[in-house]
Amino acid sequence: MTAFADLMAFQRETEALGQIAGRLGWDQETMMPEGAAEQRGEEMAAIEGVLHSRRTDPRVGEWLAAAQAPDAGGQRALDLIARAYGRNACLPARLASEIARVTSIAQGTWAEARARDDVAHFLPTLEKVVALKREAGQALAAGGYGGGDVYDALLDDYEPGATGDGIAAIFGRMRPRLVALREALLGARHAPEPLAHSFGKDGQMALARELATAFGYDWNRGRLDLAVHPFSSGSGNDARITTRVAETDPFNCFYSTIHEVGHACYELGIDQAYLLTPLGAGVSMGVHESQSRIYENQLGRSRAFTGWLYERMRETFGDFGLRDADSFYRTVNRVQPGFIRTEADEVHYNLHIMMRFDLERQLMSGALAVADLEEAWNTRFHADFGVRVDRPSHGVLQDVHWSVGLFGYFPTYALGNVYAGCLNKALRAAVPDLDEGLARGDASPATGWLRENLQRHGGLYAPAEVVERACGFAPDEGPLLDYLDAKFRALYGI
Amino acid sequence: MTAFADLMAFQRETEALGQIAGRLGWDQETMMPEGAAEQRGEEMAAIEGVLHSRRTDPRVGEWLAAAQAPDAGGQRALDLIARAYGRNACLPARLASEIARVTSIAQGTWAEARARDDVAHFLPTLEKVVALKREAGQALAAGGYGGGDVYDALLDDYEPGATGDGIAAIFGRMRPRLVALREALLGARHAPEPLAHSFGKDGQMALARELATAFGYDWNRGRLDLAVHPFSSGSGNDARITTRVAETDPFNCFYSTIHEVGHACYELGIDQAYLLTPLGAGVSMGVHESQSRIYENQLGRSRAFTGWLYERMRETFGDFGLRDADSFYRTVNRVQPGFIRTEADEVHYNLHIMMRFDLERQLMSGALAVADLEEAWNTRFHADFGVRVDRPSHGVLQDVHWSVGLFGYFPTYALGNVYAGCLNKALRAAVPDLDEGLARGDASPATGWLRENLQRHGGLYAPAEVVERACGFAPDEGPLLDYLDAKFRALYGI
């Protein structure tokens, strides 16, 4: 028992230090004075250095070898620590620090390139990042992660147990139905009314707070602030969210808020017994995204909830140019091809992901050279979306992910949508009067069901397992596609 | 050179981690959701643990033994590291962690006792804190700190080079003149007009920002927020301040702000070359307080500056019951005996400190038992202030310091006043048209002179030395007493 207890005590401090690093990141995006940026870089490097040395501390290996778990939860904690420790042990220290160094510079270079629409400015840096991440993937694959596959070994960090082939199979089944739906919708007559209004910042923020409350966000353990790019941050009893405000587009603020509330409710809903343990955070990026997505889309963009939101917006902002709740429902669910993933509707979103997934798999296998990436992107985009990319910031430069070395991350967004589809089916069956609450602006029964059936487990079960336990069936893409078909065909009257 | 470079690199990371701990403290008092408090306790303990193990790391001792400084600044950095390392080495790990544990609980117990006016609730805890701090003082004294004196060994942590006897001598010379002045003022006819107004929160905060700007606070490297107890936090390029707002007492907000701006300007004014080095922070509590005090009192409560502030308050709040700038000047400089140190006027403030200094020296020497402290406090207060303490929260329970083990800290407040008196004399001689700027709401020439002559040096010189270099004379209490005599006798027309 001593090795187990010693390891858990050590790990608990590491988790606490990890929370601190997260808090600093939150501060940096919300509160930090601009002139502090360079100093903050050193501060972040110092805490990351402490975390890295703890995560690779040889004592962890010794404790793992000797530890006996007292129960299943303890065994799962050991497994999670062993997995992270084993992955770190595969990576030479030189490679780990080179990745940290290069990606921290690359993010700035990417931001410059995007602002100037200058792909060439970014390519040499992206070459380095891709080479380093391939090397990391090879080292992990050689250590047995991802079943020996380079891409899968990277993917495994964000979605343990998922494989590129498995995701490709899901995507292969999704694509025809999504494309057929998209074509049918784009062929239908559907002209949403334009918003004829400016939406004041204070009113938007007040309503954003109301939305978070409606979804059961616990203000005693969280807060809402402004940030350039909305995010959620923190685990345990301190899970904060951010949003942004554009006076001409209130839906950006409102649906960003609901999305981040989903992430935060997951963290806040985890069993208190798991606080600051390996089980005390969401189990994977895909499951995390399932929470943010079901809050944002299946619940937040439902006819019932949008009816309430329409009334609250009229009370807050007066007449804003949409004649009734049905018109409002059509507006927040408008389907149209667009360049930007983060602005995509529910039907197009997964097509964006499929494209990135195929391209990044090719980059990692070496089948696609970085020099050819832009052309590959533009060709594929035209084929998938029927529109020619007009500038790099609308194309290959739009997302930060690759610049910071996140290869294998994109598919977790689509997996989150698939899981959200399954959870929505099970939730609707279990809580038949859900829409009555949503129509009153009360989504807390959904949070209650999700907390009880999924969120509270934290890292206890593997990603697909926890979704299956919640749903009562093995997750697949069917419920998501059924939901999209039913919702959008009805909405467009086809 | 390698030992020196290695030590400095290690120290730089330690300083960065120390900044992180400070940032967390700021977050805790300003932003943190209430329900996160317990988790935050673990997070703080984790980072403090990392800091403690770095500060006592045996490699530091080895590097110190081998290091050769390349220049005088490097030597001073070595001396400061050696001093901190040597002090830590004197304290057994068991004692250090026991002090951390007991004082963290004691602060809560003290807050409860103060809220309930229940000294007995606090005494057992204070007994423990006093015993532990005496033990620490004895260990440090045995190691040669404080010249072998227990109290001086503790004082040395806050005001290196100062001694209890030296401070007692200064206080001995100050007391007769302060008492004579106080008696003369209290005997004079002087009835300030009451404030007939409520001062809105937004207006107070807007004016507080204006005040910070007037004193040259760099908003690019700082920010202002609300906190229960105003404080400043952070070094280098991230020095934040807080204030509080009471609608009936705007001066609390305004002078707290100016006070904290003084602390923050000191940190922000330090030479950038010292960033994240042992020289990159204010050199002592006394010198720090000299900056906050000269901003708040000699500058902020001057006739010239209050004339401008009066006009700005009239523009912001309308007629608020004071008929002219002279009346306003009298109001913000009203001399009256009161129970609470933090609310004391410039004349009474040091008498509060003298009392605490004598009592805590007796506690540390063992001449006064904790059981007798309240009676000693009340007797002494009546003798010094002519008023009987009406309840413990107005007496022995009013300050947090002793509960968290800060023995030897109080006298640095009075030393700060003494230094501020000296700096004010030198500043007025060097910048003869200072009042013209102050009358226009521009105190930046004062910040400029203080930055150039004192603030920029950070930890390069010993406390008394940096004040002497700035002033051109060895600091003593004379200039402060001359200033108080001149200001308050004129103000009261005696």
Side-chain angles (χ1 to χ4, degrees), chain A residues 12-13 16-17 19-20 23-24 26-27 30-36 39-40 42-44 46-47 50 54 219-223 225 235-238 240 275-276, chain B residues 12-13 16-17 19-20 23-24 26-27 30-36 39-40 42-44 46-47 50 54 219-223 225 235-238 240 275-276:
Chain A
R12 195 171 177 95
E13 283 179 0
L17 293 166
Q19 287 298 307
I20 290 174
R23 220 77 70 215
L24 277 186
W26 172 85
D27 182 84
T30 56
M31 299 291 159
M32 186 184 77
E34 217 173 303
Q39 176 176 340
R40 175 57 59 89
E42 277 200 63
E43 293 169 9
M44 284 299 283
I47 187 91
V50 169
R54 290 181 74 95
W219 292 106
N220 187 44
R221 299 186 292 150
R223 51 179 291 136
D225 296 279
S235 291
N237 294 315
D238 193 346
R240 308 179 185 186
L275 185 75
L276 297 177
Chain B
R12 195 171 179 95
E13 283 178 1
L17 293 166
Q19 287 298 305
I20 290 174
R23 219 78 69 214
L24 277 185
W26 172 86
D27 182 84
T30 55
M31 300 290 158
M32 187 184 79
E34 217 172 305
Q39 176 175 341
R40 175 57 59 88
E42 278 199 63
E43 293 169 9
M44 283 299 283
I47 187 91
V50 169
R54 291 182 73 96
W219 292 105
N220 187 45
R221 299 185 292 151
R223 51 180 291 136
D225 296 278
S235 290
N237 293 315
D238 193 345
R240 308 178 184 187
L275 185 75
L276 298 177

Side-chain angles (χ1 to χ4, degrees), chain A residues 297-311:
Chain A
N297 291 329
Q298 280 87 354
L299 301 168
R301 292 187 207 270
S302 66
R303 177 62 185 83
F305 191 76
T306 56
W308 174 79
L309 180 55
Y310 174 69
E311 290 304 327

Side-chain angles (χ1 to χ4, degrees), chain A residues 458-493:
Chain A
L460 184 61
Y461 304 115
E465 185 185 353
V466 76
V467 176
E468 179 166 353
R469 281 177 172 263
C471 296
F473 56 84
D476 69 25
E477 70 287 352
L480 173 67
L481 296 171
D482 294 344
Y483 152 81
L484 291 174
D485 263 333
K487 171 175 177 175
F488 285 95
R489 285 181 190 276
L491 207 157
Y492 278 69

